[in-house]
Amino acid sequence: MESETVSLSEAASRAVRLPADHQPVAVGRIGVLLLNLGTPDATDYWSMRRYLKEFLSDRRVIETPRILWWPLLNGVILTTRPARKGRDYETIWNRERNESPLKTITRSQAEKLAQRLASLPGGEEGRIVVDWAMRYGNPSIKERLEALQRAGCDRILLVPLYPQYAAATTATACDKAFEALMRMRWQPTIRVSPPYHDDPVYIGAVVDSLKAELAKLPFEPEIIIASFHGVPKDYHLKGDPYHCQCQKTVRLMREALGLPPERLLLTFQSRFGRAEWLQPYTDMTVKGLAEKGVKRLAVITPGFSADCLETLEEIAGENAEIFREHGGEHFAAIPCLNDSPEGMRVIEHIVRRELQGWI
């Protein structure tokens, strides 16, 4: 049998040669969809309420039985929490674009990734389409999957931007994508990129970024905290690998930086409710270090691919205040990788690796 080499553009051209009476159909393109957690559309009460209701109604996020959780959520939390969280978002809101920093950064990550993928076979011809979506809020995963399909993407790579896997992040984003696929008559072929908590490119980027940011500081931290978003301890006991993957990330960071465990600590932030969450807690650790006489502290958040409320308001705001109130003097919140060269190196690496066989 005679072998034949066919370029992507030629293959796409052949794929769309349809009979004259066939209804129009777009095929032959490859989609890449970046997925992040979510954001409210605005900071007012009703916008925040809609966002929080979607988020806190997710059974992956809150596993409490509905008979117990539903009255509390609708009767108390969604009455009091939207105004308070709206004020928090106001402190970090991107007023120029009228959106949260997470939306601004994720959009930029997608735009920069599209430029970087233009060098791939067919990329310069627009055959690789990059988009982005939020699990909660807008743009929704369903909306952007449908847009990619309309654009002719019959193969789509989902890229959850969570280095460490958790059911409450990666899994729920995939759930939402699969839910949208269930309603499609002609489903695109789907791949999901795996967590990258121990990927050498990711570890290298986090370490390089940390070194660069520390070099800019007017002080040398005595201790560095690597703070990750927390989850209830019960989720870990049920088999969620998140805690183990966070531990491995920090161990690899320590090895790359040449730091002992007491100089680079691991903590968990953002707990909610009365149940025990993964420990040690970030705020209590910050308070304890200040009370023990630590004067210079830096906090990095390697579990977040983009700066958001939890990094800009909770770490750079609340925890900095806690540290100073209890005797600390110099506090630095290290930016996330965001759309920096280091951050884009990680995302591009993951996408190029996972697109093998399609391009």
Side-chain angles (χ1 to χ4, degrees):
M1 182 176 178
E2 184 179 354
S3 63
E4 181 181 32
T5 300
V6 181
S7 71
L8 284 174
S9 57
E10 290 170 341
S13 176
R14 294 179 186 182
V16 296
R17 289 175 184 171
L18 302 171
D21 60 347
H22 198 287
Q23 68 180 52
V25 59
V27 294
R29 305 177 87 184
I30 297 170
V32 177
L33 187 61
L34 304 184
L35 305 176
N36 219 319
L37 187 69
T39 173
D41 293 322
T43 61
D44 63 276
Y45 175 87
W46 291 109
S47 296
M48 289 302 310
R49 183 185 171 95
R50 283 193 299 273
Y51 171 70
L52 290 172
K53 184 170 185 178
E54 183 181 12
F55 177 49
L56 296 175
S57 297
D58 187 345
R59 291 178 181 271
R60 290 280 198 182
V61 174
I62 304 294
E63 297 185 6
T64 303
R66 281 294 183 263
I67 193 171
L68 300 176
W69 176 243
W70 221 239
L72 179 61
L73 174 63
N74 291 281
V76 179
I77 295 172
L78 292 179
T79 300
T80 60
R81 195 169 178 84
R84 184 168 70 253
K85 299 308 290 186
R87 289 192 294 270
D88 290 343
Y89 268 99
E90 276 288 328
T91 66
I92 66 165
W93 203 249
N94 181 344
R95 302 191 184 283
E96 182 179 350
R97 285 184 172 266
N98 191 29
E99 63 188 22
S100 73
L102 182 63
K103 182 175 283 189
T104 304
I105 295 166
T106 308
R107 179 193 297 108
S108 180
Q109 289 170 327
E111 291 171 349
K112 290 183 177 181
L113 178 63
Q115 295 171 2
R116 287 167 171 253
L117 297 183
S119 63
L120 291 174
E124 73 282 355
E125 300 167 14
R127 293 211 52 243
I128 300 174
V129 184
V130 180
D131 209 336
W132 57 285
M134 297 291 176
R135 168 59 183 89
Y136 312 104
N138 295 301
S140 72
I141 294 174
K142 177 179 183 292
E143 170 197 333
R144 299 327 302 163
L145 275 176
E146 292 174 347
L148 287 171
Q149 188 182 47
R150 287 194 302 271
C153 297
D154 47 27
R155 302 182 186 194
I156 299 175
L157 171 65
L158 304 179
V159 186
L161 293 176
Y162 314 112
Q164 297 78 23
Y165 174 96
T169 53
T170 306
T172 190
C174 291
D175 287 348
K176 207 64 179 176
F178 301 149
E179 182 182 290
L181 291 168
M182 287 172 62
R183 291 166 172 77
M184 291 183 179
R185 179 172 296 278
W186 186 356
Q187 291 180 338
T189 298
I190 296 292
R191 285 181 179 175
V192 181
S193 64
Y196 49 97
H197 63 285
D198 58 355
D199 190 293
V201 175
Y202 160 69
I203 297 297
V206 170
V207 168
D208 289 347
S209 177
L210 175 59
K211 288 178 178 178
E213 292 297 326
L214 292 179
K216 298 176 187 176
L217 297 178
F219 64 93
E220 181 179 354
E222 298 164 68
I223 291 175
I224 301 169
I225 291 176
S227 180
F228 294 81
H229 199 292
V231 298
K233 182 179 179 180
D234 185 53
Y235 296 7
H236 168 61
L237 297 177
K238 290 177 179 177
D240 198 301
Y242 180 70
H243 181 265
C244 299
Q245 293 187 3
C246 292
Q247 292 279 0
K248 188 171 185 181
T249 293
V250 174
R251 175 175 63 79
L252 293 173
M253 288 176 61
R254 288 188 189 118
E255 291 173 1
L257 291 163
L259 293 176
E262 62 271 18
R263 287 287 313 282
L264 178 56
L265 308 179
L266 181 152
T267 63
F268 296 93
Q269 64 183 83
S270 310
R271 65 189 183 276
F272 175 77
R274 298 179 179 178
E276 182 181 357
W277 283 44
L278 295 180
Q279 296 193 41
Y281 299 138
T282 298
D283 55 356
M284 299 304 294
T285 300
V286 167
K287 177 176 179 288
L289 289 173
E291 291 175 340
K292 290 177 181 177
V294 173
K295 300 297 183 183
R296 304 182 306 277
L297 181 66
V299 180
I300 185 172
T301 48
F304 296 85
S305 61
D307 276 306
C308 54
L309 185 72
E310 285 76 12
T311 65
L312 298 173
E313 193 276 333
E314 184 178 355
I315 295 299
E318 291 180 18
N319 278 271
E321 186 176 342
I322 290 171
F323 185 63
R324 295 188 179 101
E325 283 181 349
H326 292 86
E329 296 177 359
H330 302 286
F331 183 99
I334 306 300
C336 295
L337 292 177
N338 296 321
D339 58 348
S340 66
E342 294 85 1
M344 294 312 305
R345 186 168 80 236
V346 175
I347 297 174
E348 181 184 5
H349 161 71
I350 292 167
V351 171
R352 281 178 176 262
R353 182 191 66 204
E354 297 304 317
L355 286 180
Q356 291 183 44
W358 283 3
I359 54 174

